[in-house]
């Protein structure tokens, strides 16, 4: 009996991994370059998230313009799949690596191998804990938080009562986005008052629950600042559920996700701080290009500004 | 004096709940506003369904870590089916059956291959979460209840002024209480938790009962997935992360022994309310985010210590 189960299990695993390898190895080559034969490997943490396609598309586009072949690998939201993909790319003899790592550490050893072979590595949106990375391009979360605060000051010049929904406590985006926002809104000469701060863990359900609690507690909330868009979407849902859409609570998010754009266009949400992935992708290729052509060393860390999207942005 | 101890033994967790409510109300009087009470009752139903199923599992001496992943997978399957036009009632039924199958899989590995429940459900927790990512491509499904009146009613509706999720929770609670206390199956659950070998010798079908409790846990988790999905009008691939811990905490606070064999499902009901009051109360009292997790853990610890003392 036991053997039958094990047999079934083995077959199951085989089928699964077969499915998986079909997709994971399905990297696609884009552009054919100008015959220089130079290629850039682009490793994306998760192309399942439509939001990240903006980044990969911009790398492909810029690479094409400069005559590189761009090979795109998709980590499918599984950081442990990236090291093997990197080794694969090293074997292929790529000239440079642009990576959006799934986490800070999984790819360190594989990238070390690449760096030791003289392949320049640029990380985008997330750092890798490793010496020798050519450059690290990331959203300037602090200035993004400040811009959200400045947008709010302009939108409600008379001030109001603000609820702050934090992301996962202790992470860099949580500290920086919140810090930037509070530096404007919670300052001495601000007309705004932070009446409550809750944790939404950068995800929808906890943010929705916390917002429901706050709606039960206060009947005079003017503003919600959520540190990412999916939490803002959760807050809007809580406001909807509580039948308080008519309160006209101003909801501000961060990221620039499609869901947020839709809610802003419907008038249920009011603005979001958009991370400029198009610029980040283009910049990554330009850095690699300059380094390959004449050894230009870029800044080790490049902070990219966000911009605000609101109803007037259409 | 012995009378007092008797009362305490019987109602220990209720007393803890009462004091929690009292403290939060003193600090923040709007805690007891009807709006907020309904809000708490509605919010606890999700963890509540899971905790009811978990009670059966823990009474057999087992554990089910896969509940949050089953919630996510069934919520995602539900969302994708609704968006592709499957009739709502059919979709809900399919999802509940799916939850049962996922639980049945856990049960098979535990009762037939005799693997540790902790290990099996740790593995399936990861697998079910993985399947959720596979079918969703890691992207949340949004706008689910906009054309789904039944689902909308399940999460937003009211009957006699009581939120529908709360009513459903109470109905399921009563059914499961009868199942646990008035049936042969229920007696089997306690017998296995007490001493599996003795239970087997006294002709309890241990394999079937053990598989059964994981099926119940799976169906309850899927039920929670249905409620959460309709409440958010969205299926999140990360939904339910960490819910197993809140559910286990609710069961243990409710006086059920992790070793199995001892405990009551009514205790779980109180445990769920305690967890709900803590979560809501910390937000209502405006406790700093940094302190919240620590305080929550501390209250759980105190509740369990008090309950153990009262059971001695």
């Amino acid at each position: 009996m036991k053997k039958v189960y094990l047999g079934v299990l083995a077959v199951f695993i085989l089928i699964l991994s077969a499915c998986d390898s079909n997709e994971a190895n399905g990297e696609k080559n884009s552009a054919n370059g100008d015959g220089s034969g130079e290629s850039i490997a682009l490793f994306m943490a998760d192309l399942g998230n439509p939001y990240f396609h903006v980044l990969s598309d911009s790398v492909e586009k810029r690479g094409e313009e400069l005559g590189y072949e761009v090979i795109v690998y998709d980590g499918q939201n599984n950081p442990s799949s990236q090291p093997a993909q990197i080794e694969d790319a090293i074997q292929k003899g790529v000239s440079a690596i642009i990576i959006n790592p799934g986490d800070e550490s999984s790819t360190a050893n594989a990238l070390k191998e690449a760096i030791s072979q003289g392949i320049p590595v640029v990380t985008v949106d997330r750092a890798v804990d490793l010496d020798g990375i050519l450059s690290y391009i990331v959203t300037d979360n602090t200035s993004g938080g400040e811009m959200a605060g400045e947008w709010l000051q302009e939108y409600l010049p008379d001030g109001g009562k603000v609820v702050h929904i934090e992301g996962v406590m202790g992470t860099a985006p949580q500290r920086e986005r919140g810090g930037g926002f509070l530096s404007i809104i919670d300052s001495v000469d601000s007309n705004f008052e932070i009446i409550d701060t809750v944790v939404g863990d950068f995800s929808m359900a906890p943010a929705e629950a916390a917002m429901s609690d706050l709606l039960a507690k206060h009947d005079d909330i003017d503003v919600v600042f959520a540190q990412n868009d999916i939490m803002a979407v959760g807050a809007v849902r809580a406001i909807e559920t509580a039948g308080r859409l008519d309160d006209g609570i101003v909801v501000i998010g961060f990221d620039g996700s499609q869901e947020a754009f839709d809610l802003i266009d419907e008038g249920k949400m009011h603005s979001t701080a958009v991370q400029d992935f198009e610029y980040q992708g283009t910049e990554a290729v330009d850095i690699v290009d300059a380094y390959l052509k004449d050894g230009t060393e870029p800044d080790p860390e490049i902070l990219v500004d966000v911009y605000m999207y609101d109803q007037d942005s259409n | 004096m012995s009378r007092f101890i008797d009362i305490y033994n019987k109602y220990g967790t209720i007393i803890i709940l009462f004091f929690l409510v009292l403290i939060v109300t003193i600090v923040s009087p709007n805690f007891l506003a009807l709006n907020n009470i309904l809000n708490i009752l509605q919010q606890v139903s999700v963890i509540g369904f899971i905790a009811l199923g978990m009670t059966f599992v823990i009474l057999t001496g087992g554990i089910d870590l896969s509940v949050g992943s089953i919630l996510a997978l069934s919520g995602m399957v539900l969302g994708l089916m609704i968006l592709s036009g499957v009739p709502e009632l059919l979709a809900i039924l399919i999802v509940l059956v799916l939850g049962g199958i996922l639980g049945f899989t856990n049960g098979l590995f535990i009762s037939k291959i005799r693997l540790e429940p902790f290990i099996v459900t740790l593995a399936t927790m990861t697998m079910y979460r993985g399947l959720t990512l596979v079918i969703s491509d890691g992207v949340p499904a949004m706008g689910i209840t906009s054309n789904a009146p039944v689902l909308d009613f399940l999460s937003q509706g009211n009957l006699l002024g009581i939120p529908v999720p709360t009513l459903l929770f109470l109905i399921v609670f009563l059914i499961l209480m009868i199942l646990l206390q008035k049936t042969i199956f229920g007696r089997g659950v306690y017998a296995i938790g007490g001493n599996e070998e003795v239970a087997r010798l006294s002709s309890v079908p241990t394999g079937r009962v053990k598989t059964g409790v994981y099926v119940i846990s799976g169906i309850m988790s899927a039920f929670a997935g249905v409620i959460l999905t309709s409440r958010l009008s969205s299926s999140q691939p990360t939904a339910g992360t960490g819910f197993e811990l809140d559910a286990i905490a609710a069961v243990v606070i409710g006086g059920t022994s992790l070793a199995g064999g001892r405990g009551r499902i009514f205790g779980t009901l109180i445990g769920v309310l305690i967890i709900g009051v803590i979560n809501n109360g910390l937000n209502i009292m405006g406790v700093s985010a940094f302190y919240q997790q620590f305080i929550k853990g501390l209250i759980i610890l105190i509740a369990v210590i008090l309950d153990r003392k009262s059971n001695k």
Side-chain angles (χ1 to χ4, degrees), chain A residues 14-194:
Chain A
L14 273 178
I15 293 172
L16 260 190
S17 42
C19 297
D20 190 45
S21 60
N22 278 344
E23 289 178 27
N25 295 340
E27 80 266 19
K28 57 183 178 47
N29 299 1
S30 85
N32 39 14
D34 55 3
S36 64
E38 300 249 53
S39 60
I40 297 174
L42 171 66
F43 302 92
M44 295 300 299
D46 180 20
L47 280 180
N49 185 342
Y51 176 49
F52 279 89
H53 282 270
V54 180
L55 182 57
S56 65
D57 289 350
S58 69
V59 170
E60 286 185 67
K61 182 161 163 273
R62 185 64 180 164
E64 226 170 287
E65 285 168 8
L66 295 177
Y68 292 96
E69 180 192 13
V70 178
I71 307 166
V72 185
Y73 295 83
D74 178 10
Q76 296 185 319
N77 206 13
N78 177 9
S80 59
S81 66
Q82 287 191 316
Q85 293 178 340
I86 294 170
E87 279 149 24
D88 185 35
I90 297 174
Q91 291 303 317
K92 279 202 174 108
V94 297
S95 328
I97 287 175
I98 297 175
I99 179 165
N100 163 226
D103 63 29
E104 276 83 7
S105 55
S106 296
T107 55
N109 280 331
L111 289 178
K112 200 190 226 166
E113 172 69 18
I115 292 168
S116 74
Q117 296 193 19
I119 302 173
V121 175
V122 173
T123 75
V124 184
D125 192 46
R126 200 175 272 141
V128 173
D129 209 359
L130 178 66
D131 289 335
I133 300 278
L134 186 61
S135 188
Y136 161 42
I137 305 175
V138 70
T139 297
D140 189 341
N141 283 308
T142 306
S143 95
E146 288 166 6
M147 285 178 73
E150 282 156 6
W151 178 91
L152 177 59
Q153 274 189 327
E154 208 165 294
Y155 191 79
L156 292 180
D158 296 333
K161 296 185 172 169
V162 182
V163 160
H164 184 186
I165 305 182
E166 306 233 34
V168 177
M169 300 302 286
T171 58
Q174 174 264 325
R175 289 194 310 272
E176 295 165 6
R177 292 174 186 185
F181 180 75
L182 293 179
S183 72
I184 303 291
I185 291 303
D186 208 19
S187 65
V188 199
D189 53 345
S190 154
N191 293 327
F192 291 93
E193 182 195 351
I194 305 282

Side-chain angles (χ1 to χ4, degrees), chain B residues 207-223:
Chain B
R208 257 185 290 168
V209 172
K210 276 173 86 175
T211 309
V213 295
Y214 290 94
V215 172
I216 293 174
S217 180
I219 295 174
M220 286 300 108
S221 307
F223 216 124

Side-chain angles (χ1 to χ4, degrees), chain A residues 2 5 9 12 16 46 48-50 77 166 169 174 196-199 203-205 208-210 212-214 216-217 230 233 237 240-241 259, chain B residues 30 36 39 43 108-109 112-113 127 133 137 139-140 142 145 152 155-156 228 230-234 236 238 279-280 283-286 289-290:
Chain A
K2 229 176 201 177
Y5 284 121
L9 183 67
F12 181 63
L16 260 190
D46 180 20
N49 185 342
N77 206 13
E166 306 233 34
M169 300 302 286
Q174 174 264 325
D196 249 315
T197 302
V198 290
V199 179
S203 68
M204 187 171 174
E208 192 268 350
S212 299
D213 292 347
L214 295 184
K217 179 178 176 185
I230 202 70
V233 173
R237 178 67 180 165
E240 228 171 3
T241 302
E259 293 79 23
Chain B
N30 43 8
N36 192 46
N39 171 41
Q43 283 189 23
L108 271 191
F109 283 111
K112 297 290 177 197
I113 310 187
M127 289 165 67
L133 291 169
D137 267 345
V139 186
M142 311 288 287
T145 57
D152 200 47
S155 69
Q156 318 287 75
L228 185 65
S230 49
R231 166 132 181 124
L232 297 177
S233 183
S234 144
Q236 301 285 323
T238 55
N279 282 339
N280 174 271
N283 279 337
I284 292 283
M285 292 192 294
F290 290 110

Side-chain angles (χ1 to χ4, degrees), chain B residues 113-128:
Chain B
I113 310 187
R114 297 181 180 283
L115 298 174
E116 281 295 322
F118 186 93
I119 301 299
V120 170
T121 57
L122 182 66
T124 55
M125 167 171 93
T126 314
M127 289 165 67
Y128 298 160

